[in-house]
Amino acid sequence: MREKTVLVTGASRGIGAAVARAFANAGYRVAVNYNTSKTEAEALAAQWPGQMLPVQADVADRAQVEAMFRQVQEAFGGVDVLVCNAGIARQELFTDVTPAAWQRMLDVHLSGAFHCCQCALPHMLHQKWGRIVTVSSMWGQVGGSCEVAYSAAKAGLIGLTRALAKEEGPSGITVNCVAPGVIETDMMAAFSANDKAALAEETPLGSLGSPEQVAKAILFLAGDDADYITGQVLGVNGGLVV
Ligand code: NAD
């Protein structure tokens, strides 16, 4: 098989950027999706000239996602591995969630994965091989207070992962999910140092996670060592949820 191509959504920073770096280091060609963070995505891609390609799309927008897949197809010849990582977070009481905020949460996390998976599948089905990894959250597993919309979207992503794994398994495509715990990225910016220290203390392994630790799990699920694993949710949470 030719060198594999991975498309990582929301890869301009945080977990997505760590995933892009991990795959590039492992020899994959990497399409680095961004929505508005063009400068960051281009700066990342510039470190792997010819091997990384920054590609713009709001994953919630079907037309933009289709255009992005066409761009990757032209440059790299089809997506073999898809990592649905793009996400947004909002902490607020359920009673304060507006219909627009609720809809945007579902659009980015769940519809974003729907659009990307549908666009990725024709190439994977044609070659009878593909790897899809979705990025959910421990809140999608157990539910988070003041994170109802986020938890619902992330739980939906787990449902999508499991059902799609069953449907596409016979075609040589695996679909798995990672469910990170508390990972030190911009998404945690709203948390105070005291909050973070308390969360670290609560975590059996004694610290918050790093984007690189999540990236290693995703690289594993896309690799040959995971060739009999599909439909699974792998917690990367230091034991916070067991
Ligand atoms: P982050 O905010 O640093 O990164 C999110 C990325 O998604 C950014 O690059 C952002 O630009 C991109 N993005 C947002 N909306 C987009 C859209 N509509 N289209 C394309 N890209 C979009 O946060 P992160 O912590 O790196 O989060 C990555 C993923 O991991 C998210 O799905 C998040 O929900 C999940 N997650 C994070 C944590 C954590 O503690 N940080 C825990 C569990 C799950």
Side-chain angles (χ1 to χ4, degrees):
M1 197 184 200
R2 63 181 173 76
E3 237 173 30
K4 293 192 191 85
T5 294
V6 59
L7 168 62
V8 187
T9 67
S12 62
R13 63 167 193 246
I15 292 170
V19 172
R21 283 192 292 268
F23 276 93
N25 281 328
Y28 290 73
R29 288 180 293 207
V30 186
V32 175
N33 161 252
Y34 65 94
N35 182 17
T36 53
S37 313
K38 186 170 195 262
T39 314
E40 290 90 331
E42 285 181 349
L44 174 64
Q47 294 169 39
W48 277 272
Q51 199 185 337
M52 268 197 199
L53 175 74
V55 282
Q56 192 281 331
D58 175 347
V59 294
D61 184 315
R62 178 62 174 232
Q64 290 185 26
V65 171
E66 287 179 359
M68 170 175 73
F69 271 84
R70 279 196 298 273
Q71 195 186 341
V72 178
Q73 169 78 40
E74 277 163 26
F76 289 156
V79 172
D80 307 300
V81 179
L82 169 66
V83 181
C84 296
N85 165 78
I88 50 174
R90 245 179 117 101
Q91 289 205 305
E92 57 191 348
L93 288 172
F94 181 63
T95 45
D96 292 337
V97 179
T98 64
W102 171 267
Q103 192 58 52
R104 182 66 182 161
M105 195 61 82
L106 295 185
D107 285 349
V108 172
H109 291 277
L110 197 46
S111 302
F114 163 71
H115 297 318
C116 290
C117 289
Q118 272 201 341
C119 289
L121 275 169
H123 171 75
M124 293 180 180
L125 287 168
H126 177 73
Q127 66 181 11
K128 298 198 180 327
W129 193 96
R131 297 283 180 264
I132 297 174
V133 183
T134 60
V135 180
S136 180
S137 162
M138 67 176 178
W139 299 133
Q141 298 175 293
V142 299
S145 173
C146 292
E147 307 245 25
V148 176
Y150 182 83
S151 299
K154 290 303 202 187
L157 208 44
I158 291 173
L160 181 153
T161 303
R162 289 175 171 153
L164 194 58
K166 286 189 175 177
E167 192 167 316
E168 303 304 348
S171 302
I173 299 163
T174 69
V175 190
N176 289 291
C177 176
V178 293
V182 187
I183 311 299
E184 289 246 50
T185 68
D186 290 358
M187 203 168 263
M188 291 296 298
F191 287 70
S192 69
N194 280 349
D195 288 343
K196 287 186 191 176
L199 281 165
E201 201 170 324
E202 210 184 307
T203 304
L205 289 184
S207 65
L208 305 189
S210 70
E212 289 70 26
Q213 286 171 319
V214 181
K216 281 190 281 188
I218 294 173
L219 190 63
F220 163 70
L221 288 171
D224 291 344
D225 289 343
D227 59 0
Y228 198 57
I229 299 175
T230 195
Q232 303 304 308
V233 181
L234 178 57
V236 186
N237 57 36
L240 202 50
V241 174
V242 289

